[in-house]
Amino acid sequence: MAMFTPSEAPAAFSPSPRVLLGPGPSEVPPRVLAAMGMPLLGHLDPEFVNLMDETQQLLRYVFQTKNRLTMAVSGTGSAGMEAVVVNLIEPGDPMLVCVNGVFGGRMVDVAERAGAKVSVIERPFGEVFDPDEVRDAIRRVRPKVVGIVHAETSTGAWQPIEDIARAAHEADALIAIDTVTSLGGVPVEIDGWDIDAVYSGTQKCLSCPPGLAPVSFGNRASDVIAQRKTKVQSWYLDMSMIQRYWGSDRFYHHTAPISMNYALREALAIVVEEGLESRIERHALNARALKAGLAAMGMRLVTDEQHALPQLTCIRIPDGIEDMPVRKRLLHDWGIEIGGGLGPLKGQAWRIGLMGHGSRQVYVTLLLAAMETCLRDLGLPIHAGAALAAASEVYTQDAASPV
Ligand SMILES: *Cc1c(COP(=O)(O)O)cnc(C)c1O
C-alpha cells in the first residue's frame, strides 16, 4: 500500500506544451477545452438531455445521414468498433473483414470475440482494396456483415467505399465502416453511400479529446438489431438499451461522461461553423503543402499518392536514419509529437497527422522546419530551406487560384 503524508501530495499536473501532429489525439481548440471545464449537470438534467439531442443532430450533419439511431457511445473509437460489431453479430454469424492495416486487424479480433465466423481478405500495408476483389469475396463468403476501414491510420491509405457498399447489398450483406480517422477530414457520406453501420472517434479530425465514439445505424442495421435472437454479448454496448437513454424514454443505462459530451458538442459546433466542405478543403490544402515539403527532402510515401489520406501522411524513414532519435528530438526541442510505424512498419515509417485543428499552415511550417533541421544534422543531403520553399509554393499557388 502506498502511503502519503499531506506534504507529499502531488502538485497540480501541468503538462508541457505540445503540438500534436501524430495519429491522434490531435490538437484541441481552446473553446473545446473550456467546455470541459464547465460545471457538471446531472445525466438526466433537462439541460443535459437537450445537449444530447443537439449532439445527435450535429452528428447527423457530420455523418451526412438522417439515421435516427445516431449517437455517441461512451468510450473511445475502439468502443465504437465493438458497439457496431457486437450489436450486428450473433454467435456463428459469418462476417467478412477487409484487412490492410492494424485497425482492420483489430476488427477481426473484435468480431472473433463476438463469436462471428470471420473470413478475412488482405492487402499489404499501404494498399487499398479493389471493389471487384471484395465483391468476389462477398460472393464466396456470403457474410451477414462486411467490415472495412475507410481511413487506415496505420498506413495513411484512403479506401473508396461506395462500390464496396453496393457489392455488399447485392449479396444482402450489411456494410459496416470505420471512420475514426476520416470523419471531419475527408468526405463521409453515410446516406449517400448507403452505409448500414458506422463508428468514429472524437480525437482525430473532430479535434476533441478522446472519450466518445459517434455511431450511426441505418434502417437495415436497426432491423437486424431489433430482430436478434440472442442478447448482445456486451451489456455496456447494447444499443437496444443505450438508445432508450438517448431516445425519448431517457431510461437510465449508465452515467454519461458529462464533460466529454460538453466537449463533443462544442467540437461539432466548430465543424458546423467552418462548414464540412471548407474543412475538407483545408485538410486537402495543408496535406498538399506538407507532402510537397516532404518530397523536397526526398521522402517517400508508404501509400500511393492516389490513395493517400490528407489528414494522415505515412512516410518511409530515410535509409540510414533511426526512428526514435528523430522523434525524441522533435518532442524535446520543438514539443512536436509525430507517430511511429505500427505492425510491419514499426521502425520503418513515420506518421504525420494534420487532423482537425492541427491541419494548419503554421504547423506544417513548424514541422517541416524541425524535420529538415533534424535530418540535415544527421547528415542527409537536403538543401537548406528546400522543404519550406516547396510548401510555401503550394500555399502561394492556392491563394492565387480562382475560387
Ligand atoms: C484511432 C483509431 C481507432 C481506435 O480508436 P481509439 O480511440 O484509439 O480507441 C480505430 N480505428 C481507426 C482507423 C483509428 O484510427
Side-chain angles (χ1 to χ4, degrees), residues 137-170:
I138 292 172
R139 286 187 178 144
R140 194 175 68 242
V141 173
R142 292 271 146 196
K144 178 184 189 185
V145 180
V146 178
I148 191 161
V149 177
H150 185 212
E152 194 27 277
T153 323
S154 60
T155 66
W158 184 1
Q159 174 68 53
I161 293 289
E162 208 173 348
D163 289 343
I164 292 175
R166 206 168 295 126
H169 294 142
E170 281 163 16

Side-chain angles (χ1 to χ4, degrees), residues 319-385:
D319 288 343
I321 300 292
E322 271 184 83
D323 174 18
M324 271 326 285
V326 172
R327 281 198 285 141
K328 276 194 181 142
R329 185 163 173 218
L330 288 174
L331 193 68
H332 184 266
D333 291 2
W334 289 277
I336 300 173
E337 175 181 287
I338 65 166
L342 284 184
L345 295 171
K346 190 170 160 49
Q348 312 289 310
W350 288 319
R351 292 180 302 147
I352 301 169
L354 297 177
M355 296 180 174
H357 195 60
S359 173
R360 294 201 276 168
Q361 184 171 357
V362 59
Y363 295 142
V364 171
T365 308
L366 175 70
L367 176 70
L368 289 173
M371 198 108 169
E372 192 187 277
T373 306
C374 272
L375 295 178
R376 278 170 52 85
D377 287 354
L378 290 167
L380 284 198
I382 298 168
H383 193 70

Side-chain angles (χ1 to χ4, degrees), residues 111-159:
E112 283 173 353
R113 288 164 191 251
K117 217 165 81 224
V118 181
S119 303
V120 176
I121 51 172
E122 288 183 83
R123 277 262 134 211
F125 274 49
E127 295 185 15
V128 296
F129 289 90
D130 179 272
D132 289 335
E133 69 182 308
V134 183
R135 182 177 285 109
D136 289 346
I138 292 172
R139 286 187 178 144
R140 194 175 68 242
V141 173
R142 292 271 146 196
K144 178 184 189 185
V145 180
V146 178
I148 191 161
V149 177
H150 185 212
E152 194 27 277
T153 323
S154 60
T155 66
W158 184 1
Q159 174 68 53

Side-chain angles (χ1 to χ4, degrees), residues 85-86 89-92 109-116 233:
V85 171
V86 298
I89 290 290
E90 297 193 57
D109 192 1
V110 168
E112 283 173 353
R113 288 164 191 251
Q233 167 241 337

Side-chain angles (χ1 to χ4, degrees), residues 20-78:
L20 298 177
L21 302 180
S26 60
E27 285 291 299
V28 174
R31 196 174 134 190
V32 174
L33 294 176
M36 292 184 82
M38 289 292 140
L40 292 197
L41 291 166
H43 64 285
L44 294 172
D45 188 294
E47 286 186 25
F48 187 71
V49 161
N50 187 45
L51 178 142
M52 292 166 71
D53 287 344
E54 281 180 326
T55 303
Q56 286 187 286
Q57 279 302 96
L58 293 163
L59 285 175
R60 288 184 186 111
Y61 167 68
V62 294
F63 275 133
Q64 297 280 286
T65 184
K66 295 197 178 68
N67 288 343
R68 190 184 55 83
L69 199 50
T70 301
M71 57 197 62
V73 165
S74 305
T76 65
S78 305

